[in-house]
Amino acid sequence: MAAAPAAAGSGAGRGRRSAATVAAWGGWGGRPRPSNILLQLRQGQLTGRGLVRAVQFTETFLTERDKQSKWSGIPQLLLKLHATSHLHSDFAECQNILKLLVEILMRPTISIRGQKLKISDEMSKDCLSILYNTCVCTEGVTKRLAEKNDFVIFLFTLMTSKKTFLQTATLIEDILGVKKEMIRLDEVPNLSSLVSNFDQQQLANFCRILAVTISEMDTGNDDKHTLLAKNAQQKKSLSLGPSAAEINQAALLSIPGFVERLCKLATRKVSESTGTASFLQELEEWYTWLDNALVLDALMRVANEESEHNQASLVFPPPGASEENGLPHTSARTQLPQSMKIMHEIMYKLEVLYVLCVLLMGRQRNQVHRMIAEFKLIPGLNNLFDKLIWRKHSASALVLHGHNQNCDCSPDITLKIQFLRLLQSFSDHHENKYLLLNNQELNELSAISLKANIPEVEAVLNTDRSLVCDGKRGLLTRLLQVMKKEPAESSFRFWQARAVESFLRGTTSYADQMFLLKRGLLEHILYCIVDSECKSRDVLQSYFDLLGELMKFNVDAFKRFNKYINTDAKFQVFLKQINSSLVDSNMLVRCVTLSLDRFENQVDMKVAEVLSECRLLAYISQVPTQMSFLFRLINIIHVQTLTQENVSCLNTSLVILMLARRKERLPLYLRLLQRMEHSKKYPGFLLNNFHNLLRFWQQHYLHKDKDSTCLENSSCISFSYWKETVSILLNPDRQSPSALVSYIEEPYMDIDRDFTEE
């Protein structure tokens, strides 16, 4: 999710608003000027003052009113705090006042003689506004508030009132953004009742807070992304128990109807989102989403554009119309322009989809999967695909200030990426992936299996047909259609390929592959790799991974490949792309190597024809080619630099050696590696490195069931054979022809290094 740029002087967080925004946000509680609301917006653009007037009450006046209304000096206190909470104010001057203000907010929790003190919602709202203003404009305030855990927990209780909900939610979001330790939602009093009583708009806004509380905290240190560091962290976590994020996820899932309401929010149409909120309330919510300048520009643009297309403008009052509180006396004043309503709904769905995505990747994944299927999230998103999620851009499409429609910061763009991430998480290694199809497409899968004379996929047979997509096309087919139309420079290519690849992951399904091949996916991928000569490493990696899953063990796919790559020139471009970065292409190399091994052991005329004609299979079958790949795969990784992204290089090198072992050629391959070392004038450097990598492999995979299952399913090689091969390679007996140490000369031996401490 793209975060707004931080304001000067503000602390870290998910996005800070400018001081002018804060002033405008805090000013909604006051009496607006009797003038047109858009004129005030325009004035805010020019002056940076937003929609609030400067505080004009004198201290004498407030003191007199204080005596009459028994306000206990609160107005004077707010006035002093306001005076010391502007940009570059001295934090020391407002620190004491800030403490008093926090005490004021928390007075309802204090009992005196059996009676709890009360504070009005309006006073709470003003206190929250001033607090927020202080946090933004005075460095260090947010961090100090974050240190008061009891105060942060108390803030949640203020969200029970609709009058203070937005102010409270925004303040909590900023505080949690700088809090060193994640808050635990199970410590919030009556959490289930609080969340259950939210209306849908409040729940959508609350998802902004949840996004912070259910995501694992990231220190930002690159070392933490290495597998060594992750393994160490996992060992530590096992001794400490569930993380705060995991506890918070469990707390949310225990709330009755929580996931169901999220699914309804994610799939509701814009026409269904119109509630009883006033125009002023809807604008107030807008101010909580984006920076001041961005909002003002957006509001002015869409309002001006729609007024040009509509003679009876929804916002500008007709001349001579009477006004009250700056709004025209028309029924249209309770409505925002349609384009703004669409953008409002997009902003809601961004946060909701993110929360659902995180829950799908959590410990309760199967529970969440079951509920998401039951509440028909996928069919609902399918119905929104054309009109909202992948709606066509127009000249008037809202984009943020200083950005364009293709920028990742655009709400439209961010929604699409979040949608694709959700599909990826939903489909990855789960039988519910077939909910992405409609009934006709499921029948097509069955027909493919019948024609090929192979058993139908059990998950297809078990799919509840009442929960699949409706309409002419399922969600997967819609995604393929927009994927093939995507321009070469689009940032969506990576996410689209990842989402489709996740549908193919797991045990290879011929029917799934043919379903996608019949829709021209392979030709599209090859066009992007070869003809468009894609330069983006991320996009290339995602396309190579997808191509590998699409072609693996599939003779028809290799025939299609050879038909498209029908000249030596095209094939050389393809090889150039593969060899330019093996970290990106090694999964394709692995899939082709595995396919070659299977085809060579089959007696079939169709397979024999492909083996004799396919340039790619002929290229991979050559021992020098395999040795070149093997040498480079081992050489580009080291234990200290292994990540989730490049560990695949280690596993691909193992696949090559496992297949060599099957053919009793493992000693030959090791001897060739030794010769290649000597030819590079660095004897021992490669095999020592490989020895350390394999030691780490044992440590990493023998304790992670999911990873080992994935290796077995994707390669169709039993995990016991993986383990045996690694053990044989690590055999300390220098007389063993299949042990690495037999090919490392004694002076260059360096295999006992403790890599965990480096």
Side-chain angles (χ1 to χ4, degrees):
M1 295 179 298
S10 67
R14 295 185 61 226
R16 288 279 189 268
R17 297 159 188 83
S18 65
T21 302
V22 177
W25 180 76
W28 289 115
R31 179 181 177 83
R33 296 180 187 179
S35 60
N36 182 271
I37 190 72
L38 280 183
L39 295 180
Q40 294 184 49
L41 286 174
R42 175 61 73 187
Q43 183 181 19
Q45 275 189 306
L46 298 174
T47 65
R49 290 182 57 83
L51 299 176
V52 71
R53 293 173 291 171
V55 178
Q56 297 176 351
F57 296 120
T58 65
E59 189 168 356
T60 303
F61 172 80
L62 290 176
T63 302
E64 184 62 29
R65 289 293 297 155
D66 185 13
K67 292 179 181 178
Q68 295 178 18
S69 303
K70 299 180 180 179
W71 286 340
S72 304
I74 293 175
Q76 296 97 313
L77 184 63
L78 294 180
L79 184 62
K80 292 178 181 178
L81 185 58
H82 185 273
T84 59
S85 63
H86 297 295
L87 278 173
H88 310 302
S89 297
D90 184 359
F91 175 54
E93 293 181 19
C94 66
Q95 184 173 6
N96 291 331
I97 305 174
L98 185 65
K99 291 179 180 178
L100 293 174
L101 187 61
V102 171
E103 291 176 6
I104 292 170
L105 273 174
M106 298 186 69
R107 279 184 183 179
T109 66
I110 303 172
S111 297
I112 299 180
R113 296 178 182 177
Q115 294 184 347
K116 285 190 175 181
L117 300 176
K118 293 183 178 180
I119 182 171
S120 70
D121 287 341
E122 290 300 326
M123 186 62 73
S124 294
K125 189 174 181 180
D126 288 341
C127 289
L128 289 164
S129 298
I130 296 295
L131 262 182
Y132 182 75
N133 192 9
T134 308
C135 287
V136 171
C137 299
T138 310
E139 186 175 2
V141 172
T142 312
K143 291 183 179 179
R144 292 297 297 271
L145 290 177
E147 293 170 0
K148 296 178 65 67
N149 200 63
D150 57 340
F151 174 66
V152 179
I153 293 293
F154 165 73
L155 284 177
F156 279 85
T157 66
L158 295 182
M159 287 194 290
T160 56
S161 169
K162 287 191 175 182
K163 290 184 178 179
T164 59
F165 176 85
L166 281 175
Q167 283 78 6
T168 307
T170 310
L171 182 59
I172 291 175
E173 182 189 352
D174 275 25
I175 290 175
L176 294 183
V178 301
K179 192 169 176 61
K180 292 182 179 180
E181 295 181 356
M182 187 176 292
I183 194 171
R184 286 182 49 163
L185 292 178
D186 59 351
E187 295 177 356
V188 175
N190 303 315
L191 175 68
S192 179
S193 175
L194 175 71
V195 176
S196 297
N197 288 326
F198 287 156
D199 60 31
Q200 289 296 78
Q201 274 67 30
Q202 288 176 314
L203 182 59
N205 279 292
F206 188 59
C207 283
R208 290 169 64 84
I209 293 173
L210 297 184
V212 182
T213 61
I214 64 176
S215 304
E216 294 292 350
M217 299 184 77
D218 188 355
T219 62
N221 188 335
D222 287 340
D223 291 341
K224 295 297 181 183
H225 299 299
T226 66
L227 293 184
L228 267 179
K230 286 184 177 181
N231 287 351
Q233 183 61 40
Q234 285 174 349
K235 289 181 180 179
K236 182 179 178 181
S237 299
L238 287 175
S239 62
L240 297 176
S243 66
E246 291 170 336
I247 292 172
N248 290 342
Q249 291 175 25
L252 292 173
L253 291 174
S254 68
I255 299 175
F258 175 71
V259 173
E260 180 179 10
R261 293 184 67 192
L262 290 186
C263 290
K264 287 181 178 179
L265 265 173
T267 58
R268 74 177 181 182
K269 300 176 182 178
V270 178
S271 59
E272 298 171 348
S273 65
T274 304
T276 58
S278 69
F279 176 69
L280 202 60
Q281 288 172 318
E282 292 193 61
L283 278 182
E284 183 177 13
E285 288 198 8
W286 264 82
Y287 266 21
T288 67
W289 288 101
L290 299 169
D291 275 350
N292 177 10
L294 308 184
V295 171
L296 288 174
D297 283 353
L299 293 179
M300 292 304 301
R301 186 182 305 116
V302 296
N304 287 335
E305 287 169 353
E306 298 211 3
S307 66
E308 292 173 1
H309 294 289
N310 187 351
Q311 294 297 325
S313 174
L314 295 177
V315 182
F316 285 106
S322 60
E323 295 181 351
E324 179 182 344
N325 292 338
L327 297 175
H329 277 306
T330 66
S331 59
R333 74 178 183 177
T334 61
Q335 300 179 10
L336 284 172
Q338 182 67 10
S339 57
M340 286 172 61
K341 284 185 176 293
I342 291 174
M343 196 54 55
H344 203 191
E345 194 65 19
I346 283 175
M347 303 302 276
Y348 278 161
K349 293 187 189 310
L350 271 175
E351 303 296 340
V352 173
L353 290 180
Y354 178 80
V355 170
L356 287 171
C357 190
V358 173
L359 293 176
L360 267 175
M361 297 186 291
R363 284 194 175 188
Q364 291 84 14
R365 185 188 185 213
N366 289 332
Q367 177 189 354
V368 177
H369 244 293
R370 186 177 63 254
M371 290 190 287
I372 282 179
E374 178 185 349
F375 302 133
K376 298 188 175 182
L377 174 69
I378 299 302
L381 292 176
N382 187 47
N383 293 332
L384 289 177
F385 188 86
D386 291 328
K387 292 185 178 180
L388 185 68
I389 298 174
W390 225 273
R391 64 196 183 106
K392 292 182 179 179
H393 286 299
S394 65
S396 61
L398 184 145
V399 293
L400 301 186
H401 178 77
H403 300 264
N404 58 61
Q405 290 175 344
N406 294 322
C407 175
D408 286 350
C409 298
S410 162
D412 269 314
I413 303 300
T414 312
L415 176 66
K416 290 178 174 64
I417 292 175
Q418 195 56 61
F419 163 76
L420 293 171
R421 290 182 65 187
L422 178 75
L423 290 192
Q424 179 184 355
S425 301
F426 183 82
S427 302
D428 193 17
H429 292 88
H430 203 284
E431 61 185 18
N432 274 353
K433 67 182 183 180
Y434 292 108
L435 298 181
L436 297 176
L437 310 182
N438 62 19
N439 276 297
Q440 183 179 350
E441 291 163 346
L442 285 173
N443 292 337
E444 183 180 341
L445 284 180
S446 300
I448 291 171
S449 298
L450 182 64
K451 183 178 179 180
N453 196 27
I454 58 176
E456 282 193 64
V457 178
E458 187 175 353
V460 174
L461 296 173
N462 294 336
T463 298
D464 186 342
R465 296 292 184 108
S466 68
L467 302 178
V468 302
C469 295
D470 50 18
K472 294 182 179 180
R473 294 181 296 274
L475 201 49
L476 180 62
T477 301
R478 290 182 187 274
L479 176 57
L480 290 174
Q481 288 180 325
V482 298
M483 182 178 181
K484 290 194 288 185
K485 296 177 182 178
E486 210 61 51
E489 70 280 3
S490 172
S491 61
F492 295 135
R493 282 187 168 195
F494 170 82
W495 296 106
Q496 289 168 337
R498 281 282 177 255
V500 177
E501 185 212 344
S502 68
F503 182 81
L504 292 171
R505 280 187 201 150
T507 304
T508 304
S509 166
Y510 174 81
D512 292 354
Q513 291 173 325
M514 292 306 301
F515 180 86
L516 297 175
L517 287 170
K518 289 171 65 176
R519 284 158 175 79
L521 180 59
L522 183 138
E523 289 78 9
H524 166 72
I525 296 172
L526 292 177
Y527 170 81
C528 293
I529 294 175
V530 176
D531 295 318
S532 71
E533 295 193 48
C534 176
K535 298 296 190 297
S536 167
R537 303 315 311 174
D538 287 338
V539 172
L540 271 177
Q541 184 183 51
S542 64
Y543 271 50
F544 278 131
D545 290 352
L546 175 55
L547 185 61
E549 291 295 336
L550 189 62
M551 295 179 65
K552 187 166 53 181
F553 306 136
N554 192 308
V555 174
D556 297 280
F558 279 91
K559 288 186 68 175
R560 284 174 175 259
F561 176 92
N562 216 42
K563 184 177 180 180
Y564 190 93
I565 307 295
N566 55 5
T567 66
D568 288 337
K570 277 190 173 183
F571 187 58
Q572 290 305 315
V573 172
F574 184 75
L575 290 184
K576 180 181 177 182
Q577 292 282 47
I578 287 180
N579 288 303
S580 63
S581 177
L582 274 183
V583 172
D584 300 324
S585 63
N586 82 89
M587 290 298 293
L588 174 63
V589 172
R590 186 193 309 181
C591 290
V592 176
T593 303
L594 287 165
S595 300
L596 173 67
D597 180 75
R598 176 174 291 192
F599 294 160
E600 288 178 336
N601 290 289
Q602 290 179 338
V603 180
D604 183 274
M605 289 297 295
K606 188 176 180 181
V607 173
E609 181 183 351
V610 169
L611 282 172
S612 64
E613 295 180 354
C614 183
R615 290 179 172 85
L616 185 57
L617 290 173
Y619 175 75
I620 294 292
S621 66
Q622 300 172 26
V623 173
T625 299
Q626 295 180 21
M627 294 309 304
S628 173
F629 281 135
L630 185 59
F631 187 91
R632 286 183 289 155
L633 286 169
I634 298 172
N635 193 38
I636 60 179
I637 52 176
H638 305 275
V639 172
Q640 292 76 20
T641 59
L642 277 179
T643 64
Q644 199 64 48
E645 179 183 6
N646 63 25
V647 71
S648 58
C649 294
L650 174 57
N651 290 320
T652 299
S653 66
L654 269 174
V655 165
I656 295 174
L657 292 177
M658 282 191 294
L659 298 181
R661 179 188 165 208
R662 279 183 178 176
K663 299 174 184 178
E664 299 183 350
R665 303 175 75 180
L666 183 55
L668 169 64
Y669 278 52
L670 296 180
R671 190 160 53 251
L672 289 173
L673 282 178
Q674 183 188 42
R675 290 178 184 174
M676 295 173 77
E677 272 188 333
H678 282 271
S679 69
K680 299 292 184 181
K681 310 298 182 184
Y682 291 107
F685 82 99
L686 186 84
L687 294 179
N688 277 316
N689 182 46
F690 193 37
H691 195 281
N692 285 331
L693 286 166
L694 293 180
R695 286 169 54 214
F696 172 80
W697 188 96
Q698 287 183 322
Q699 181 189 94
H700 181 71
Y701 283 103
L702 299 187
H703 302 286
K704 299 187 71 177
D705 293 337
K706 180 182 178 183
D707 278 349
S708 62
T709 302
C710 290
L711 287 178
E712 189 171 66
N713 290 339
S714 64
S715 65
C716 290
I717 299 175
S718 68
F719 190 61
S720 61
Y721 197 80
W722 284 79
K723 292 189 293 184
E724 288 171 8
T725 303
V726 173
S727 296
I728 289 172
L729 289 167
L730 292 179
N731 187 346
D733 184 3
R734 292 179 61 85
Q735 302 304 314
S736 170
S738 297
L740 284 174
V741 292
S742 300
Y743 301 89
I744 306 175
E745 297 174 24
E746 194 70 43
Y748 307 109
M749 187 81 67
D750 186 18
I751 62 173
D752 297 322
R753 186 179 303 176
D754 186 0
F755 48 76
T756 60
E757 294 182 359
E758 294 186 2

Coordinates of all heavy atoms in Angstrom, one line a residue, residues 74-86 89 91 93-102 104 126-135 138 141:
I74 N -11.1 23.8 30.9 CA -10.7 23.1 29.7 C -10.6 24.0 28.5 O -9.6 23.8 27.8 CB -11.8 21.9 29.5 CG1 -11.7 20.9 30.6 CG2 -11.5 21.3 28.1 CD1 -12.7 19.8 30.5
P75 N -11.5 24.9 28.2 CA -11.3 25.7 27.1 C -10.0 26.5 27.1 O -9.3 26.6 26.0 CB -12.5 26.7 27.1 CG -13.5 25.9 27.9 CD -12.8 25.2 28.9
Q76 N -9.6 27.1 28.2 CA -8.4 27.8 28.3 C -7.2 26.9 28.0 O -6.2 27.3 27.4 CB -8.2 28.5 29.7 CG -9.3 29.6 30.0 CD -10.4 29.0 30.8 OE1 -10.9 27.9 30.5 NE2 -10.8 29.7 31.9
L77 N -7.3 25.7 28.5 CA -6.2 24.7 28.3 C -6.1 24.4 26.9 O -4.9 24.4 26.3 CB -6.5 23.5 29.1 CG -5.4 22.4 29.1 CD1 -4.2 22.9 29.7 CD2 -5.9 21.1 29.8
L78 N -7.2 24.2 26.2 CA -7.1 23.9 24.7 C -6.5 25.1 24.0 O -5.8 24.9 23.0 CB -8.5 23.6 24.2 CG -9.1 22.3 24.7 CD1 -10.5 22.1 24.1 CD2 -8.3 21.1 24.4
L79 N -6.9 26.3 24.4 CA -6.4 27.5 23.7 C -4.9 27.6 23.8 O -4.2 27.9 22.9 CB -7.1 28.8 24.3 CG -6.7 30.1 23.7 CD1 -7.1 30.1 22.2 CD2 -7.3 31.3 24.4
K80 N -4.4 27.3 25.1 CA -2.9 27.4 25.3 C -2.2 26.3 24.4 O -1.2 26.5 23.8 CB -2.6 27.2 26.7 CG -3.0 28.4 27.6 CD -2.7 28.1 29.1 CE -3.2 29.3 30.0 NZ -3.0 29.0 31.4
L81 N -2.8 25.1 24.4 CA -2.2 24.0 23.7 C -2.2 24.3 22.2 O -1.2 24.0 21.5 CB -2.9 22.7 23.9 CG -2.3 21.4 23.3 CD1 -0.9 21.3 23.8 CD2 -3.1 20.2 23.6
H82 N -3.3 24.9 21.7 CA -3.4 25.2 20.3 C -2.3 26.2 19.9 O -1.7 26.2 18.9 CB -4.8 25.8 20.0 CG -5.0 26.1 18.5 ND1 -4.6 27.3 17.9 CD2 -5.5 25.3 17.5 CE1 -4.9 27.3 16.7 NE2 -5.5 26.1 16.4
A83 N -2.0 27.2 20.9 CA -1.0 28.2 20.6 C 0.4 27.6 20.6 O 1.3 28.2 20.0 CB -1.1 29.3 21.7
T84 N 0.6 26.5 21.2 CA 1.9 25.9 21.2 C 2.1 24.6 20.4 O 3.0 23.9 20.6 CB 2.3 25.6 22.7 OG1 1.4 24.6 23.2 CG2 2.4 26.8 23.5
S85 N 1.1 24.4 19.4 CA 1.1 23.2 18.7 C 1.3 23.4 17.2 O 0.9 22.6 16.4 CB -0.1 22.4 18.9 OG -1.3 23.1 18.5
H86 N 1.9 24.5 16.8 CA 2.1 24.8 15.4 C 3.4 24.2 15.0 O 4.2 23.8 15.8 CB 2.0 26.3 15.1 CG 0.6 26.8 15.4 ND1 -0.5 26.4 14.7 CD2 0.2 27.7 16.3 CE1 -1.6 27.1 15.2 NE2 -1.2 27.8 16.2
S89 N 7.1 24.3 16.8 CA 6.9 24.7 18.2 C 7.8 24.0 19.1 O 8.3 22.9 18.8 CB 5.4 24.5 18.7 OG 4.5 25.2 17.9
F91 N 8.6 21.6 21.9 CA 7.9 20.5 22.5 C 7.8 20.7 24.0 O 6.8 20.4 24.6 CB 8.6 19.2 22.2 CG 8.0 18.0 22.9 CD1 6.6 17.8 22.7 CD2 8.8 17.2 23.6 CE1 6.1 16.7 23.3 CE2 8.2 16.1 24.3 CZ 6.9 15.8 24.1
E93 N 7.3 23.3 25.8 CA 6.2 24.2 26.2 C 4.8 23.6 26.2 O 4.0 24.0 27.0 CB 6.2 25.4 25.2 CG 7.4 26.3 25.2 CD 7.3 27.4 24.2 OE1 6.2 27.7 23.8 OE2 8.3 28.0 23.9
C94 N 4.6 22.6 25.4 CA 3.3 22.0 25.3 C 3.2 20.6 26.0 O 2.2 20.0 26.1 CB 2.8 21.9 23.9 SG 3.8 20.7 22.9
Q95 N 4.3 20.1 26.5 CA 4.4 18.8 27.1 C 3.4 18.7 28.3 O 2.7 17.8 28.4 CB 5.8 18.4 27.5 CG 5.9 17.0 28.0 CD 7.4 16.6 28.2 OE1 8.3 17.4 28.1 NE2 7.6 15.3 28.5
N96 N 3.6 19.7 29.2 CA 2.7 19.6 30.4 C 1.2 19.8 30.1 O 0.4 19.1 30.7 CB 3.2 20.7 31.4 CG 4.5 20.4 32.0 OD1 4.9 19.3 32.1 ND2 5.2 21.5 32.3
I97 N 0.9 20.7 29.1 CA -0.4 20.9 28.7 C -1.0 19.6 28.1 O -2.1 19.2 28.3 CB -0.6 22.0 27.7 CG1 0.0 23.3 28.4 CG2 -2.0 22.3 27.4 CD1 0.1 24.5 27.4
L98 N -0.1 18.9 27.3 CA -0.5 17.7 26.7 C -0.9 16.6 27.7 O -1.9 15.9 27.5 CB 0.7 17.2 25.8 CG 0.4 15.9 24.9 CD1 -0.6 16.2 23.9 CD2 1.7 15.5 24.3
K99 N -0.1 16.5 28.8 CA -0.4 15.5 29.8 C -1.8 15.8 30.4 O -2.6 14.9 30.7 CB 0.6 15.6 30.9 CG 2.0 15.1 30.4 CD 3.0 15.1 31.6 CE 4.4 14.6 31.2 NZ 5.4 14.8 32.2
L100 N -2.1 17.1 30.6 CA -3.4 17.4 31.2 C -4.5 17.1 30.2 O -5.6 16.7 30.6 CB -3.4 18.9 31.5 CG -2.5 19.4 32.7 CD1 -2.5 20.9 32.8 CD2 -2.9 18.8 34.0
L101 N -4.2 17.3 28.9 CA -5.3 17.0 27.9 C -5.6 15.5 27.9 O -6.7 15.1 27.8 CB -4.8 17.5 26.6 CG -5.8 17.4 25.4 CD1 -7.0 18.2 25.7 CD2 -5.2 17.8 24.1
V102 N -4.5 14.7 28.0 CA -4.7 13.2 28.1 C -5.6 12.9 29.3 O -6.5 12.0 29.2 CB -3.4 12.5 28.1 CG1 -3.6 11.0 28.4 CG2 -2.6 12.7 26.8
I104 N -7.8 14.7 30.7 CA -9.1 15.2 30.4 C -9.9 14.1 29.6 O -11.0 13.7 30.0 CB -9.2 16.5 29.6 CG1 -8.6 17.6 30.5 CG2 -10.5 16.8 29.1 CD1 -8.4 18.9 29.7
D126 N -13.0 17.9 20.3 CA -12.0 19.0 20.3 C -10.7 18.6 20.8 O -9.6 19.0 20.3 CB -12.6 20.2 21.0 CG -13.8 20.9 20.3 OD1 -13.8 20.6 19.0 OD2 -14.5 21.6 20.9
C127 N -10.7 17.8 21.9 CA -9.5 17.4 22.5 C -8.7 16.5 21.5 O -7.5 16.6 21.4 CB -9.7 16.6 23.8 SG -10.3 17.6 25.2
L128 N -9.4 15.6 20.9 CA -8.7 14.7 19.9 C -8.1 15.5 18.7 O -7.0 15.2 18.3 CB -9.7 13.7 19.4 CG -10.2 12.6 20.4 CD1 -11.4 11.9 19.9 CD2 -9.0 11.6 20.6
S129 N -8.9 16.5 18.3 CA -8.4 17.4 17.2 C -7.1 18.1 17.6 O -6.2 18.1 16.8 CB -9.5 18.4 16.8 OG -10.6 17.7 16.3
I130 N -7.1 18.7 18.8 CA -5.9 19.4 19.2 C -4.8 18.4 19.4 O -3.6 18.7 19.1 CB -6.2 20.2 20.5 CG1 -7.3 21.2 20.3 CG2 -4.9 20.8 21.0 CD1 -6.8 22.3 19.3
L131 N -5.1 17.2 20.0 CA -4.0 16.2 20.2 C -3.4 15.9 18.8 O -2.2 15.8 18.7 CB -4.6 15.0 20.8 CG -4.4 14.8 22.3 CD1 -5.0 13.5 22.8 CD2 -2.9 14.9 22.7
Y132 N -4.2 15.6 17.8 CA -3.7 15.2 16.5 C -2.9 16.4 15.9 O -1.9 16.1 15.3 CB -4.9 14.9 15.6 CG -4.5 14.4 14.3 CD1 -3.9 13.1 14.1 CD2 -4.6 15.2 13.2 CE1 -3.5 12.7 12.9 CE2 -4.1 14.8 11.9 CZ -3.6 13.5 11.8 OH -3.2 13.1 10.6
N133 N -3.4 17.6 16.1 CA -2.7 18.7 15.6 C -1.3 18.8 16.2 O -0.3 19.0 15.5 CB -3.5 20.0 15.9 CG -3.0 21.2 15.1 OD1 -2.1 21.1 14.3 ND2 -3.4 22.4 15.5
T134 N -1.2 18.6 17.5 CA 0.0 18.6 18.2 C 1.0 17.5 17.7 O 2.2 17.7 17.5 CB -0.2 18.4 19.7 OG1 -1.2 19.4 20.1 CG2 1.1 18.6 20.5
C135 N 0.4 16.3 17.5 CA 1.2 15.2 17.0 C 1.9 15.5 15.7 O 3.1 15.1 15.4 CB 0.3 13.9 16.9 SG -0.1 13.2 18.4
T138 N 4.4 19.0 16.1 CA 5.4 19.0 17.1 C 6.1 17.6 17.2 O 5.5 16.6 17.5 CB 4.9 19.4 18.5 OG1 4.1 20.6 18.4 CG2 6.0 19.6 19.4
V141 N 5.8 14.2 19.9 CA 4.6 14.0 20.6 C 4.0 12.6 20.4 O 3.5 11.9 21.3 CB 3.6 15.1 20.3 CG1 2.2 14.8 21.0 CG2 4.1 16.5 20.7

